Amino acid sequence: MPIVVKRPRLTLAEKCYFPALMKGLRITLGHAIRILQRKKKVTMQYPEVKWDDNLPEHYRGAPALVTDEHDRERCVSCQLCEFICPPRAIKIVPEEIPPGDEWQKVEKRPESFDIDMLRCIYCGMCQEVCPEQAIFLRKDYAITGVSREEMIHDKQKLYEIGGKREGLINKWNKLK
Amino acid sequence: MIELSELLVPAIKIVVLVFAVILPMVAYSVWAERRVSAIIQDRVGPNRVGIPFTKIGLAGLGQPISDGIKFLLKEDFTPGHVNKLYFWLAPALTMVPAILTCAVLPFGSELFGEKMVVADLNVGPLFIFAIASLSVYGIVLAGWSSNSKYPFLGGIRSSSQMISYEISLGLSLVPVLLIFGELNLSAIVEEQSENGWLLLPLWGEGAIWNGGWDRFFLFFPSLLAFIIFTTSIFAETNRLPFDLPECETELVAGYHTEYSSMKFALFFLGEYAAMIIGSGLIVTLFLGGWSLPFGCDAALMQMAGNPEQVPWWLGLIHISTFLVKVVGFIIFFIWVRWTLPRFRYDQLMKLGWIVFFELALLNIFITAGIIFLTRSPD
Amino acid sequence: MAVSKKSSEDLVNVQVDGHWIRVPKGTRMIEACKQAAAEVPHYCYHPKLTSPGNCRMCLVEMGMPPRPTPGEEAELDAEGHAKINWMPRPVIACANTVAEGMGIRTQSLLAKECRQGVMEFLLINHPLDCPICDQAGECTLQEYSVEHGNGQSRFLESKVKKPKNVDIGPRIRLDDERCVLCSRCVRFSKEVVDDDVLGFVDRGSHNTLAVHPDRKLENNYSLNTVDICPVGALTSNDFRFKMRVWFMRETKSLCTGCARGCNTLIGSREGKIYRQGPRENNKVNSAWMCDSGRMEYHRLEDPARLTDPMIKRGRTHNVVDWTEAICRAAKDLSRFKGDELAIIASGGMTNEELYLTRTLAESLEAGVVDVVKRSGSGDDYLSHSDKNPNVNGARKILKLRSPGSRLKLIHAGIAEGKIKALLVLGEDLLDIGFSEEELGGLKCMVLVHMIANPTAKMSTVVLPGAGYAEKRGSMINATGRLQRLNKAIDSPGLSREDWEILQGLNRAVDGKDEVTELVDVFGEMTSAVSIFKGLSFAGIGDLGVDVMDTGESVPLLEREAKRVRDGLIVG
Ligand code: SF4
Ligand code: SF4
Ligand code: SF4
Ligand code: SF4
Ligand code: FES
């Protein structure tokens, strides 16, 4: 059943636009005057004034990898984040942890882990999907660089941003 | 034998007018557009660019200069599929007519005995229409030579829109010319200065108490003409609410989609130049051009003593008056742009052909009738 | 409803989830359910292996019509079938066969609770290694636990620890914690490849899969256990941690390791192959393939792959574009006629390539055309002693009575100086008995190959070809079955599919100007080669068609057929 929406019958005043036009002009003028009188302040002068301390808990900045309290890289390169990442910003090459390594029992780790920050849309999907709680969106938002290469965060850079996160899952730390 | 001064004086006027007045005004109307739109939207707008290497911001007054430098330094990219000649010609064709038309606008009374108008033509409005209608070529050529669909559609829209509104633009002006009985813009302004502005007939012979009954009755047709003329100028300059040739939601950017760098800037500036000239024309015709209201001109002239020679300070006052009025109009243009939503194309055409065209036509007859009834034939 | 109420000679009526179907006598219940589109989850059951019924995942509710007392008529339902008495206990669907009038419920509360219970038991000691487990994404334990399991574990005690990352053979790693003890691998080793090295040790929760202490799981079919393992307990060293399965695109193709032509699935991502496994074809390879065949794809990763066409100028090879290379090759070759020119093709070429070789040989009037024989050791299962995948195609298309026999003539021709030009397709001559002095005497040698081998160094024109997974085409295997290769990835650099190169040479020689597709080449071939009459490239299908009778049979398939006849397996 199609829904029929009746066209409203316009009065003459409405038909000749003028009253509506004046109303519109009044509204915009009102805003302009309010901002000119400095009754309202919305914009922040960015590089001088920053809001870093007020960033909400759920703020989504640059994604980064974290290590656990034993400095073990949490990421086991399951590649779920690579799969889920909508703009395909993540590229992981997994490798086997060689025998003799302290964490050999984890078996797998990323050989390389690149996030292309030119592609990343800061959606947080990677953080959400990660089964190892290894990737988090930090509060860093000013990600800049002068070349494309610079904008690709490699593993080292990602750990640099991410740092250490204690607690969380402990599958690999208990008697195992 | 032409005297050197006969060449030199207009040349100085042109250079000063174009490079010291119009172009900076164009640049700063872009800045004004950004600032005004910002305050309307509760923002700040460009407020940082001031004097380089200092912390002096000057409320962002340096912005147009840095914008200009940016435009000049950007890659000037010509897509491979365009028709090169016309693609290059089009931006110039939009800018040139806009600047040409300012030749006949009287932007002041007199300064050191020189009339403040580049060319004191006695067919001023006709000249303006003739030149201004050329600017449609720039847009059509841009749309066509870009050889891509959005510019093409934008070009087509623009040409039909400009052609349609040119008619109401022209017709709405006829009553004004009837009232003044004059085609020389300087003379029209002088007349208004003495006998009351067209939309403010409150002194001189225009005032009702001085027997200006004709002007009283003619006020209403003038008002109508003013509304039609102003709206048509909006349409002619492709400004919102009539910016359909470049409306980004449908056409990306319309006719200048494929342009970059300075060529794009020329379109941009052309649009603003057209807006300034349009404002100037409205001010000249309806709001007394450079003249001060309520007969102040005459009073000041008396103060100066010499009735033949306009003193330099009064000349400057007149120029500033004109500029103030024009700036006021530009701000009005901007204000409207950030208030109204865009018309639909069919609404635009309907407004032009069914409403304004008829009204303007009717207005001519009404004006003629009033003039016939109230003014005794000489 | 056209269902007859009486069972006929070999069909029985079975009710699955309320619908009556007719299936052959002796069908396993699980297969009957499958036919009724009611898939029963299972771990230990595999149609090619015996059914020990040890995982209990396939439990369903079963019922039979009551046996009427003498003189009493069975009570009938609306459709005229005898009414079913449901049994209070579930039965396993994998090891039981259907009977007339039997009812099966796969979705009843009982069946569901059974599955839930089994899943819970299976997961009690499971490590949940999914993030590092290669099976994740194609793991039935994952799938079933989503479909049939509990969201939460009620098990609070410590899990039983078992050996992880155990080296049980050169190509396989075992993770005992992940093993669900289905014994598929044990049965495969014992029943299919007669290499009984796997078994279970310890009891209860500590029951563990182990390899014989003195032996390894190292037979040439060992990687099949990785395929059939429903979980990630057995993983392939070759594929281990290389790529997650959900990223891979699977291409149906063939193994070109020997004349068997095992059907394969190639898993690739972004132009790189990560694994190759068997694809079921009961006329060729059942559900298996050999380990060496799986590794075939590594040949495509040769660092010496040719990427650009080259022409030899003086002592060095210069990179040129394709047009120049093809024109040069065609010009050089057509300077020699008849006995001066020989073509050495390969039994590894597809039918289409061989056919284009034939037309090229005809227009160049080449004196001798032959392929190289390549035999190795075969075995009693799948691996064939003929290591060329398409000698039968060469036989038919190039009309060779005994392939490889004319190479002698070529040797002699070169020695006499009669043969001055050689077109070599996909072979390394120095590897098959030609010497450098011999080849040095040639005026012109054109090579189509994918690797920069020593022959390429001596060739005047080198045309880079594609590997088996980088091209399309068809081949005829040892038992005379025509099957299709498919393109899984692009060949590197500017290299091209071989049939395109040959087509280019053909066009350069005969001067015709037509664009052809691979299917057109096949179409042309159907009229030129009698065994392909009436076929089309698409008509070959995924499983191939028999086009020749070679009198050969597949030993593994014969034994499988016997086990089916004996009722041991479903097949
Ligand atoms: S999802 Fe987590 S564990 Fe998996 S690869 Fe990404 S960061 Fe590593
Ligand atoms: S935040 Fe989103 S876009 Fe960025 S890497 Fe993670 S999943 Fe990808
Ligand atoms: S076997 Fe399956 S459920 Fe177990 S860890 Fe591997 S993927 Fe996960
Ligand atoms: S290793 Fe795999 S196939 Fe073998 S018993 Fe365990 S789960 Fe079954
Ligand atoms: S599949 Fe039936 S018991 Fe395992």
Side-chain angles (χ1 to χ4, degrees):
Chain A
M1 238 326 255
I3 302 169
V4 181
V5 182
K6 273 235 180 70
R7 273 181 192 281
R9 284 190 71 85
L10 299 179
T11 60
L12 186 68
E14 281 166 332
K15 268 187 195 154
C16 72
Y17 300 116
F18 259 98
L21 206 152
M22 291 301 152
K23 206 167 145 194
L25 289 174
R26 207 182 66 224
I27 291 172
T28 42
L29 190 65
H31 277 265
I33 288 172
R34 225 172 311 146
I35 211 89
L36 284 178
Q37 290 177 337
R38 304 190 191 276
K39 280 203 187 136
K40 199 163 151 194
K41 194 163 163 244
V42 191
T43 313
M44 189 180 279
Q45 296 299 323
Y46 165 59
E48 293 91 17
V49 189
K50 280 187 181 157
W51 211 42
D52 291 8
D53 302 331
N54 299 324
L55 289 181
E57 208 29 62
H58 53 265
Y59 184 82
R60 302 197 307 251
L65 294 174
V66 298
T67 53
D68 70 0
E69 50 271 40
H70 306 286
D71 285 330
R72 178 185 69 86
E73 39 182 328
R74 286 182 183 273
C75 175
V76 296
S77 68
C78 72
Q79 290 177 288
L80 279 175
C81 51
E82 179 175 358
F83 182 70
I84 203 87
C85 177
R88 298 225 225 157
I90 302 179
K91 191 164 186 297
I92 300 167
V93 180
E95 78 176 350
E96 184 160 5
I97 299 180
D101 191 285
E102 186 190 354
W103 295 104
Q104 197 208 336
K105 68 178 181 187
V106 183
E107 291 186 36
K108 202 179 170 189
R109 71 180 175 200
E111 186 204 327
S112 74
F113 194 120
D114 295 333
I115 302 185
D116 187 344
M117 293 313 292
L118 293 172
R119 284 184 159 234
C120 177
I121 54 172
Y122 302 86
C123 63
M125 293 278 202
C126 46
Q127 169 175 345
E128 189 149 342
V129 80
C130 180
E132 298 287 338
Q133 305 189 321
I135 192 165
F136 286 92
L137 266 65
R138 310 304 307 226
K139 299 211 166 141
D140 314 54
Y141 50 83
I143 306 295
T144 54
V146 293
S147 65
R148 281 174 186 273
E149 292 70 40
E150 221 175 293
M151 293 303 287
I152 296 176
H153 287 179
D154 60 5
K155 201 166 109 171
Q156 193 198 341
K157 172 101 189 177
L158 290 170
Y159 278 117
E160 230 166 71
I161 308 177
K164 195 184 282 195
R165 276 235 171 169
E166 295 184 5
L168 310 175
I169 56 160
N170 48 18
K171 165 168 174 161
W172 303 108
N173 298 343
K174 282 222 210 111
L175 215 194
K176 195 69 175 61
Chain B
M1 204 30 221
I2 310 168
E3 268 187 56
L4 190 62
S5 70
E6 266 178 57
L7 279 179
L8 210 57
V9 172
I12 291 172
K13 280 195 229 167
I14 291 173
V15 169
V16 170
L17 184 65
V18 171
F19 290 97
V21 182
I22 301 286
L23 286 186
M25 240 168 123
V26 168
Y28 277 92
S29 55
V30 178
W31 177 81
E33 172 106 53
R34 293 172 66 182
R35 289 294 290 221
V36 172
S37 71
I39 59 168
I40 283 178
Q41 295 170 347
D42 298 344
R43 293 185 285 116
V44 176
N47 66 337
R48 301 188 80 89
V49 187
I51 300 167
F53 309 115
T54 65
K55 289 235 180 256
I56 303 168
L58 295 181
L61 280 174
Q63 187 72 35
I65 295 163
S66 65
D67 275 351
I69 294 172
K70 182 192 76 178
F71 272 126
L72 281 172
L73 294 182
K74 273 197 164 184
E75 183 188 359
D76 191 357
F77 184 74
T78 309
H81 53 73
V82 303
N83 188 325
K84 293 253 162 46
L85 175 66
Y86 297 114
F87 189 79
W88 280 72
L89 201 59
L93 271 187
T94 45
M95 190 66 186
V96 168
I99 293 190
L100 261 188
T101 40
C102 72
V104 292
L105 277 188
F107 53 91
S109 54
E110 273 174 35
L111 201 55
F112 309 118
E114 275 300 332
K115 272 200 158 175
M116 282 297 104
V117 55
V118 176
D120 197 9
L121 280 192
N122 49 11
V123 287
L126 296 188
F127 175 82
I128 287 181
F129 284 135
I131 300 296
S133 51
L134 286 180
S135 68
V136 70
Y137 287 103
I139 291 174
V140 170
L141 279 185
W144 174 76
S145 67
S146 290
N147 201 3
S148 116
K149 61 183 172 235
Y150 295 124
F152 184 69
L153 288 175
I156 291 185
R157 279 187 178 188
S158 165
S159 52
S160 62
Q161 171 177 332
M162 289 179 99
I163 290 169
S164 312
Y165 275 86
E166 228 149 62
I167 295 179
S168 27
L169 197 68
L171 288 180
S172 66
L173 209 54
V174 175
V176 180
L177 304 179
L178 281 179
I179 294 169
F180 292 122
E182 180 69 72
L183 273 174
N184 184 322
L185 289 172
S186 307
I188 290 179
V189 176
E190 263 158 38
E191 163 81 18
Q192 293 189 71
S193 156
E194 282 158 24
N195 298 325
W197 300 351
L198 194 55
L199 292 184
L200 202 66
L202 294 180
W203 63 92
E205 284 174 25
I208 211 168
W209 47 88
N210 294 340
W213 283 101
D214 57 336
R215 289 292 291 278
F216 174 73
F217 287 116
L218 285 169
F219 175 77
F220 301 100
S222 311
L223 189 64
L224 188 59
F226 170 72
I227 290 168
I228 296 175
F229 191 80
T230 310
T231 318
S232 302
I233 288 282
F234 272 98
E236 282 288 292
T237 51
N238 295 330
R239 283 194 58 93
L240 230 117
F242 304 122
D243 68 335
L244 288 127
E246 48 188 298
C247 71
E248 48 291 270
T249 37
E250 296 158 33
L251 298 181
V252 187
Y255 55 87
H256 58 61
T257 305
E258 305 282 349
Y259 284 87
S260 54
S261 179
M262 207 53 209
K263 290 211 280 295
F264 164 74
L266 278 181
F267 279 116
F268 206 61
L269 299 182
E271 186 189 306
Y272 281 90
M275 183 174 96
I276 293 169
I277 305 301
S279 310
L281 200 57
I282 297 173
V283 167
T284 307
L285 289 171
F286 296 94
L287 295 173
W290 43 258
S291 64
L292 292 165
F294 306 111
C296 293
D297 292 321
L300 287 171
M301 281 296 279
Q302 250 162 21
M303 238 172 74
N306 186 353
E308 291 309 306
Q309 171 91 28
V310 182
W312 61 269
W313 48 269
L314 188 54
L316 285 183
I317 287 179
H318 283 155
I319 292 180
S320 338
T321 315
F322 180 75
L323 289 183
V324 166
K325 287 181 187 172
V326 169
V327 166
F329 245 90
I330 290 172
I331 288 177
F332 174 68
F333 265 75
I334 295 170
W335 182 18
V336 168
R337 168 166 179 186
W338 294 100
T339 301
L340 296 188
R342 182 179 295 126
F343 274 54
R344 240 177 23 228
Y345 200 70
D346 63 315
Q347 292 171 331
L348 169 90
M349 279 305 183
K350 214 161 138 188
L351 192 67
W353 284 105
I354 299 186
V355 182
F356 283 173
F357 176 60
E358 275 79 353
L359 276 183
L361 213 55
L362 202 64
N363 204 16
I364 294 177
F365 291 107
I366 294 173
T367 316
I370 294 173
I371 290 175
F372 177 74
L373 291 178
T374 55
R375 288 190 190 166
S376 49
D378 297 325
Chain C
M1 276 298 249
V3 183
S4 102
K5 283 157 209 140
K6 285 262 158 345
S7 64
S8 60
E9 194 65 17
D10 42 3
L11 290 179
V12 292
N13 293 302
V14 184
Q15 190 203 49
V16 179
D17 291 340
H19 299 288
W20 286 95
I21 58 164
R22 282 149 64 80
V23 295
K25 225 180 209 156
T27 306
R28 304 271 170 99
M29 285 164 73
I30 198 170
E31 292 293 328
C33 292
K34 196 171 174 184
Q35 283 177 32
E39 200 83 39
V40 178
H42 55 276
Y43 288 112
C44 69
Y45 171 73
H46 190 286
K48 306 280 182 195
L49 304 172
T50 53
S51 307
N54 57 8
C55 77
R56 318 311 283 181
M57 191 61 201
C58 63
L59 287 171
V60 290
E61 198 174 351
M62 188 262 269
M64 289 297 289
R67 214 172 293 156
T69 44
E72 191 189 6
E73 273 298 306
E75 211 180 313
L76 298 184
D77 66 7
E79 279 173 41
H81 293 285
K83 223 167 160 199
I84 296 167
N85 272 2
W86 296 97
M87 304 199 176
R89 288 192 313 150
V91 296
I92 50 171
C94 65
N96 291 310
T97 52
V98 293
E100 172 61 29
M102 178 189 268
I104 304 171
R105 283 177 181 163
T106 67
Q107 299 301 328
S108 66
L109 186 66
L110 178 68
K112 283 186 178 164
E113 278 178 353
C114 285
R115 279 176 213 147
Q116 214 170 9
V118 172
M119 278 317 300
E120 190 165 10
F121 275 127
L122 284 176
L123 290 173
I124 277 183
N125 287 316
H126 199 81
L128 295 186
D129 277 345
C130 304
I132 56 162
C133 178
D134 274 339
Q135 191 81 4
E138 49 183 16
C139 171
T140 37
L141 193 59
Q142 280 186 329
E143 285 162 21
Y144 293 161
S145 87
V146 170
E147 271 173 62
H148 311 293
N150 274 330
Q152 216 101 50
S153 170
R154 289 183 287 169
F155 189 73
L156 302 172
E157 292 76 3
S158 325
K159 295 193 172 199
V160 172
K161 305 289 173 221
K162 290 187 196 172
K164 286 178 89 73
N165 207 350
V166 192
D167 177 15
I168 57 165
R171 291 176 288 279
I172 297 189
R173 215 81 66 87
L174 166 69
D175 189 312
D176 265 315
E177 286 186 347
R178 296 180 199 155
C179 173
V180 294
L181 304 164
C182 70
S183 81
R184 277 183 178 189
C185 53
V186 181
R187 279 173 283 143
F188 173 82
S189 306
K190 185 172 163 184
E191 296 166 13
V192 181
V193 289
D194 311 308
D195 186 23
D196 199 2
V197 290
L198 295 174
F200 292 118
V201 296
D202 296 340
R203 307 201 319 183
S205 312
H206 298 273
N207 201 337
T208 305
L209 178 78
V211 67
H212 187 284
D214 299 330
R215 289 171 61 193
K216 291 260 170 198
L217 177 60
E218 55 192 351
N219 64 64
N220 196 23
Y221 295 87
S222 62
L223 282 173
N224 290 308
T225 59
V226 175
D227 293 336
I228 56 174
C229 179
V231 292
L234 296 173
T235 50
S236 148
N237 284 346
D238 179 52
F239 180 61
R240 192 173 163 83
F241 299 162
K242 292 277 158 48
M243 189 43 65
R244 303 319 304 258
V245 295
W246 52 75
F247 285 117
M248 289 193 296
R249 192 177 60 187
E250 299 202 306
T251 312
K252 291 173 179 160
S253 192
L254 300 180
C255 173
T256 53
C258 74
R260 182 69 58 218
C262 289
N263 289 208
T264 61
L265 267 187
I266 299 174
S268 61
R269 182 192 182 196
E270 288 166 17
K272 184 169 161 37
I273 297 181
Y274 289 95
R275 70 172 175 189
Q276 168 167 254
R279 175 164 58 94
E280 186 168 332
N281 185 342
N282 289 323
K283 288 286 178 52
V284 181
N285 57 323
S286 184
W288 324 115
M289 75 184 284
C290 72
D291 293 358
S292 36
R294 285 176 199 255
M295 302 303 155
E296 275 288 301
Y297 75 89
H298 285 302
R299 287 180 192 227
L300 306 181
E301 294 159 358
D302 198 309
R305 278 297 294 268
L306 289 165
T307 53
D308 297 278
M310 286 182 285
I311 292 178
K312 191 171 189 174
R313 295 206 177 92
R315 318 196 76 205
T316 57
H317 282 90
N318 297 351
V319 170
V320 293
D321 65 25
W322 269 106
T323 324
E324 189 178 346
I326 295 264
C327 290
R328 172 71 190 277
K331 210 170 87 196
D332 283 1
L333 289 175
S334 40
R335 281 204 321 237
F336 305 95
K337 285 268 137 55
D339 286 346
E340 291 176 342
L341 173 66
I343 298 181
I344 301 179
S346 161
M349 292 162 73
T350 64
N351 293 330
E352 292 75 11
E353 288 157 18
L354 289 165
Y355 175 72
L356 291 172
T357 309
R358 174 169 130 182
T359 56
L360 186 64
E362 280 161 8
S363 36
L364 286 172
E365 296 164 34
V368 203
V369 182
D370 203 355
V371 299
V372 180
K373 232 177 140 53
R374 190 175 281 115
S375 28
S377 57
D379 61 24
D380 208 12
Y381 302 96
L382 287 171
S383 186
H384 200 277
S385 57
D386 182 354
K387 295 299 175 196
N388 272 329
N390 195 22
V391 172
N392 278 333
R395 265 200 192 95
K396 291 290 172 190
I397 295 165
L398 295 181
K399 303 189 195 114
L400 304 173
R401 198 151 286 136
S402 116
S405 59
R406 280 190 255 179
L407 288 182
K408 278 199 284 306
L409 291 178
I410 298 179
H411 276 292
I414 295 177
E416 283 170 32
K418 215 167 65 185
I419 294 182
K420 301 204 180 79
L422 213 50
L423 170 61
V424 187
L425 304 169
E427 292 291 351
D428 181 4
L429 295 189
L430 296 172
D431 202 32
I432 54 164
F434 286 84
S435 63
E436 285 197 26
E437 299 87 72
E438 245 184 317
L439 300 180
L442 291 170
K443 290 244 165 56
C444 150
M445 180 156 75
V446 175
L447 175 74
V448 180
H449 206 287
M450 57 174 211
I451 289 167
N453 54 29
T455 313
K457 292 216 176 65
M458 306 199 62
S459 310
T460 43
V461 182
V462 181
L463 304 171
Y468 78 100
E470 297 162 353
K471 61 186 180 188
R472 297 206 297 156
S474 62
M475 290 188 173
I476 305 176
N477 76 353
T479 50
R481 199 170 177 83
L482 175 68
Q483 310 188 94
R484 270 193 326 201
L485 282 175
N486 278 314
K487 180 171 174 163
I489 55 171
D490 283 329
S491 53
L494 289 182
S495 58
R496 285 188 182 170
E497 295 186 35
D498 301 35
W499 74 267
E500 289 180 310
I501 303 175
L502 286 163
Q503 187 72 295
L505 285 174
N506 265 300
R507 289 292 164 262
V509 170
D510 63 23
K512 279 195 212 141
D513 182 23
E514 0 181 293
V515 181
T516 36
E517 283 279 333
L518 182 76
V519 285
D520 303 331
V521 178
F522 190 88
E524 242 178 83
M525 199 163 64
T526 50
S527 48
V529 182
S530 60
I531 55 165
F532 297 135
K533 196 146 277 162
L535 285 171
S536 70
F537 192 71
I540 300 174
D542 288 337
L543 297 179
V545 285
D546 284 319
V547 291
M548 282 165 72
D549 186 10
T550 56
E552 269 192 47
S553 62
V554 190
L556 184 137
L557 289 185
E558 281 179 359
R559 285 197 298 276
E560 186 179 299
K562 179 164 183 305
R563 287 203 299 278
V564 173
R565 279 198 302 279
D566 293 347
L568 291 173
I569 63 169
V570 170

